[in-house]
Amino acid sequence: MSSPFVQQLFKEIKIKRAVKKPVYLQLSDAIMWMIKEGRLHRGQEIPGSREMAQLLTINRVTVTRALDDLQAQGWLNRLVGKGTFVSAHIPEVRPDNSRPAKPPEKVAGFSIPAMGYINHQLNIPNTTLHLDDGFPDPHLAPLKELYRSYRAQLTRGGIYDKFGRYNYPEGAVYYTQALSAYLNHTRGLNTRSGNLLSIRGTIMGINLVCNGLISPGDVIVSGIPGKIRAEDIFVHYRAKHIGIPVDRHGIVVEALAEICRKTRVRMVYVTPYHHYPTTVTLSVERRTQLLQLAEKYKFIIFEDENDFDFHYQRRPLFPLAAADKHGMVIHCGSFSKSLSPAFRIGYLVAAENVIDHLSQVRLLLDRQGDQILEYAMAELLREGTIQRYLRKAMTVYQARRDFFCEKLAQQLGDKIRFDIPEGGLTVWARFDKAINLEKMAQKALRRDLYLSNGNLHKYPGFHENATRLGFGSSTIDQLEKSIAVLKKII
C-alpha cells in the first residue's frame, strides 16, 4: 500500500464526469501533472490499480488503461509483483509552491525582441456602415461559380495528383498556365508559366522578394505617403528605406534619380495603379523615366498592381512589366483586391531565373499554396467567369463612385477636398485642418460607421490631414447614410 501522503495526493484528483474527455485521460493527465510539478518524484511508488480505483471511486479497468497509457509514454514503470513507480529516467523536479507573477498561458518566460514597427493595431470593423480602405463588395463576387469549381476539384479524377503529394512551390501548372494567358491578354504581358509564382497575397509577395533578394543595409525607395505595411517589411529585413515625394503624377522620379546619383539603390517599390494611398496614376513620362533609371542603375522595380482591374475614365495604361525590356520589374498582383480580401491568392511575375530563385526561398517559408483553390481559379479564368465578373462589377463600382463623389461635394464640400479617382475603389479625402480625424472616426464608430482615422498615412513632414474613404463595398443607400453620419459629426 502506498504512503498516506501519496494517498492524499490521489484523493485530491477531481474526475469530471460531465465533460467529454474520457475518465482514463483525465486520470492520466492528472498523474502526469503531479510528476511534472514535482508532487511525485522519480522512483516513487504510487497506488496500484485496485487501490487507486478505491481512492477515486472509479472502475479498475479505467485505472489500468490510464496506467498503461502513462507507461507507454515513459512516465511510469510497472513491475510485476513489486508495484507501480514513477520512472527513474524522469528528471528530478523540485515542488514549486510559488505562484508565477504572470500566468504562462499569457506571458512567456523568454524575452521577445522589441519591434516598434509591428505595433499597429488591426481594426476589424463590425459596423453596419463602412467607408473602408477600398475593399471590393463580396456580394458582387462570383461566389457560386467559385464554390462549384472548388467542389468539382474534390470529385473529379486525378485524386492522387491533387491530394496525395506536394506540388510545385510556384503553383499548380494548370493554374500558372491559365493565369499566364489571362495576364497576357488583360495586361499586355509576355509571360509563360515559368514566369509566374503563386502567392497568397501582395504582403506575402513583398516578404518573399525581401527575403530572397534584399540584404541588410540595402536601400529601398518608395513614395511618401505610402503603404505602411510594405515599409514595415523593408525595416524588418533591415533594409534602409528612403521616401520620395508623390504629386498628382505619381512618385517624383527626379527625386529618385538624385538618390541614385549618390547611393546604390537595390529596389524601388511603386503602386502605379493607383498610388497607395493617394490613388494618383503614375504618368507615362515617369514610367518611361523609371524604367530607364532601373536599367541604368540596375535596381529592382517592385510593381504592386494595386486596383488595376477597375478603371472608369479610359483604358488603363499597361503595367511597367509590359514595357520592361531588361528584366528589371517584378510584378505583383492579387485577386483579393478584385474579388474579396478573404480569397488569399495572388501572383508574382518576373524573369524565369527570379521565379526559380524565389520558389526555392518559398520552400523555407510556405511549402505551397492552396492547390485546390488554384485549380478552381484556373477553371474560372479559362471559362471567362472572372472576366465577366469584372465587366459587371465595373459598372456597379463606377455608379457608386459617381454617387459618392457627388454627395461628398454637395454635403461636405466646404470641409473636404478630393479628386474624383480615375479608378480603384476609394477616395483620397483631405479634410479641413480644424477637423480632428481621430475624434471624428471615434464619433462615427459610435454611430455605427467605420472609417480610418488617417494615422497610417502620417509621416514626419507630411500632414495632409487625410484618409481613404472606400466606396466599393457599400451600396448606394449605405453610402448616402454614411455621408449623412459624417455631416452630423462634422
Side-chain angles (χ1 to χ4, degrees):
M1 181 176 291
S2 56
S3 69
F5 172 75
V6 173
Q7 289 180 357
Q8 183 59 39
L9 280 179
F10 278 83
K11 285 181 180 179
E12 294 174 359
I13 294 176
K14 304 296 183 183
I15 301 297
K16 299 177 181 179
R17 302 183 184 278
V19 300
K20 293 182 178 180
K21 190 174 185 179
V23 172
Y24 88 93
L25 286 180
Q26 294 184 49
L27 176 57
S28 175
D29 289 347
I31 297 173
M32 192 187 308
W33 178 84
M34 288 191 289
I35 296 173
K36 290 179 179 179
E37 290 294 307
R39 303 292 193 268
L40 298 172
H41 56 78
R42 61 184 180 185
Q44 184 171 9
E45 184 177 8
I46 67 171
S49 59
R50 179 180 289 106
E51 183 183 1
M52 199 179 301
Q54 293 174 347
L55 290 171
L56 300 174
T57 61
I58 58 177
N59 192 289
R60 185 181 177 186
V61 174
T62 300
V63 175
T64 300
R65 190 176 180 186
L67 297 180
D68 288 343
D69 180 60
L70 290 168
Q71 183 174 9
Q73 294 186 51
W75 294 99
L76 299 179
N77 189 14
R78 303 176 71 187
L79 303 176
V80 179
K82 294 185 178 181
T84 302
F85 303 85
V86 177
S87 173
H89 301 293
I90 299 296
E92 189 66 43
V93 179
R94 295 183 178 181
D96 184 5
N97 296 319
S98 64
R99 300 183 69 178
K102 297 179 180 178
E105 64 271 16
K106 292 185 177 294
V107 180
F110 53 83
S111 63
I112 300 175
M115 297 180 181
Y117 54 88
I118 66 171
N119 291 333
H120 298 294
Q121 289 187 342
L122 290 176
N123 293 314
I124 311 298
N126 186 27
T127 57
T128 303
L129 303 174
H130 39 79
L131 300 174
D132 52 39
D133 197 45
F135 303 143
D137 187 347
H139 294 93
L140 302 178
L143 299 180
K144 292 181 179 179
E145 293 84 350
L146 180 61
Y147 166 72
R148 285 196 295 265
S149 181
Y150 197 97
R151 184 180 62 181
Q153 305 308 317
L154 306 178
T155 57
R156 292 177 183 169
I159 295 297
Y160 178 77
D161 290 342
K162 295 177 184 176
F163 299 100
R165 65 185 184 189
Y166 288 108
N167 211 310
Y168 300 107
E170 57 266 32
V173 174
Y174 186 65
Y175 169 63
T176 56
Q177 288 176 343
L179 180 60
S180 174
Y182 171 74
L183 295 177
N184 292 347
H185 176 70
T186 59
R187 284 140 173 87
L189 301 183
N190 182 27
T191 68
R192 296 182 296 176
S193 181
N195 297 117
L196 296 168
L197 173 61
S198 176
I199 55 176
R200 297 189 185 276
T202 304
I203 293 300
M204 178 181 177
I206 300 171
N207 267 287
L208 199 55
V209 168
C210 286
N211 191 301
L213 297 172
I214 301 299
S215 300
D218 281 351
V219 172
I220 300 178
V221 179
S222 68
I224 297 298
K227 186 176 288 187
I228 191 67
R229 292 283 182 262
E231 295 163 15
D232 289 345
I233 296 170
F234 305 153
V235 174
H236 184 70
Y237 285 97
R238 297 180 175 84
K240 180 182 178 181
H241 175 241
I242 299 177
I244 57 176
V246 176
D247 62 20
R248 59 193 300 267
H249 301 294
I251 59 170
V252 179
V253 179
E254 181 52 44
L256 171 63
E258 185 65 26
I259 294 171
C260 290
R261 286 190 283 267
K262 296 177 180 179
T263 188
R264 181 178 180 273
V265 173
R266 176 57 172 164
M267 187 168 79
V268 173
Y269 172 82
V270 62
T271 52
Y273 310 98
H274 304 82
H275 177 75
Y276 185 96
T278 66
T279 76
V280 297
T281 299
L282 188 63
S283 68
V284 173
E285 180 183 3
R286 292 188 182 179
R287 289 165 186 256
T288 302
Q289 293 171 345
L290 180 57
L291 287 168
Q292 290 173 345
L293 281 178
E295 196 280 324
K296 179 179 179 179
Y297 292 104
K298 306 302 179 187
F299 58 73
I300 302 164
I301 298 176
F302 188 104
E303 180 180 32
D304 180 348
E305 65 161 43
N306 186 58
D307 281 341
F308 175 88
D309 284 316
F310 303 115
H311 292 265
Y312 311 118
Q313 302 302 109
R314 53 177 170 77
R315 182 183 178 186
L317 296 171
F318 278 146
L320 291 163
D324 178 22
K325 305 300 182 184
H326 301 280
M328 309 308 297
V329 179
I330 298 177
H331 182 87
C332 183
S334 169
F335 288 107
S336 303
K337 300 292 192 302
S338 304
L339 301 177
S340 162
F343 296 136
R344 306 312 303 159
I345 184 168
Y347 43 87
L348 285 175
V349 183
E352 289 185 1
N353 64 330
V354 174
I355 296 300
D356 289 342
H357 174 70
L358 294 180
S359 296
Q360 295 302 311
V361 174
R362 194 238 177 95
L363 286 170
L364 304 175
L365 307 173
D366 183 23
R367 177 59 179 79
Q368 66 183 47
D370 184 338
Q371 184 175 329
I372 307 304
L373 180 57
E374 290 175 358
Y375 271 87
M377 186 60 71
E379 293 285 350
L380 298 187
L381 291 171
R382 291 174 184 271
E383 295 170 356
T385 301
I386 298 298
Q387 296 87 324
R388 288 190 296 273
Y389 153 72
L390 290 174
R391 288 194 295 270
K392 174 185 175 182
M394 181 85 73
T395 302
V396 176
Y397 290 141
Q398 182 168 0
R400 292 178 181 180
R401 181 205 64 166
D402 294 345
F403 176 85
F404 186 60
C405 290
E406 180 182 356
K407 289 295 181 181
L408 272 181
Q410 289 177 356
Q411 303 295 326
L412 300 170
D414 58 334
K415 300 295 184 182
I416 188 174
R417 293 179 296 112
F418 64 92
D419 296 319
I420 299 175
E422 294 181 358
L425 303 176
T426 189
V427 169
W428 176 241
R430 293 158 299 204
F431 286 81
D432 186 288
K433 297 292 184 180
I435 297 174
N436 186 311
L437 294 188
E438 193 158 0
K439 290 183 178 179
M440 184 184 75
Q442 291 172 355
K443 291 178 181 179
L445 198 62
R446 291 195 289 269
R447 289 167 172 79
D448 202 26
L449 167 64
Y450 168 79
L451 71 155
S452 169
N453 59 22
N455 285 342
L456 281 177
H457 313 309
K458 293 180 179 179
Y459 291 81
F462 179 84
H463 302 287
E464 276 278 1
N465 200 42
T467 192
R468 286 163 63 87
L469 302 179
F471 56 81
S473 60
S474 300
T475 64
I476 295 291
D477 180 61
Q478 289 171 332
L479 290 173
E480 188 168 27
K481 290 178 179 177
S482 297
I483 293 174
V485 171
L486 282 180
K487 185 177 181 179
K488 288 182 181 179
I489 294 171
I490 295 176

